[in-house]
Amino acid sequence: PKGIRPLSPVQRVYLKGRNFDPDPLERLWRVQGIGLASKLAWRLFIPIYYRGEVVSWTTRSIVDDGVRYLSAKPSEEALPHKQLLFGEDYIRHTIIVVEGPLDCMAIGPGAVATFGLGFSRSQIKKMVRYARRIIVFDSEFKAQQRAKQLCSLLTTFPGKTYRVELDAE
């Protein structure tokens, strides 16, 4: 998308308000900002890497009303983001699965995101490659139902699958 630039002071304040240090997000995850002059105004730009290459992107609104995440259209992706796990390049032997990229960044390397409550067959195939899989979806009822479904699917494969239910948002 147009208008990508370094994080603005407003975007940095938003991240700090969510208990993030913006500097590591810029360095490790390469998060940038999108300013006013775009249809994606006032969003964080989050590139999606696969094997070290940017293959897609998503954005996160810094205004908490409306649509939180808007992602690349199929014509804008080298690989469909719903076939990938955000953060997969940083995984070794244990995988912590969360819903969104910011959740993933909050945990750090070792966590991956499915880009929402839905998960694809391709994402499941990637998850089962790891001996330990820890599913940590949001505490809402619907999210926990999806976490249980994902765990049920993953437990049929070799390795261990755990579901962690947090008692806070």
Side-chain angles (χ1 to χ4, degrees), residues 5-16 22 32-35 42-45 62:
R5 60 189 175 141
L7 293 172
S8 71
V10 173
Q11 290 157 334
R12 289 176 154 293
V13 166
Y14 168 79
L15 288 167
K16 287 177 183 175
Q32 294 177 287
I34 300 175
W42 297 117
R43 291 183 163 275
L44 302 175
F45 174 78
I62 64 169

Side-chain angles (χ1 to χ4, degrees), residues 109-125:
V112 297
T114 58
F115 303 103
L117 289 178
F119 40 85
S120 68
R121 186 177 302 213
S122 296
Q123 289 172 323
I124 291 169
K125 283 182 180 180

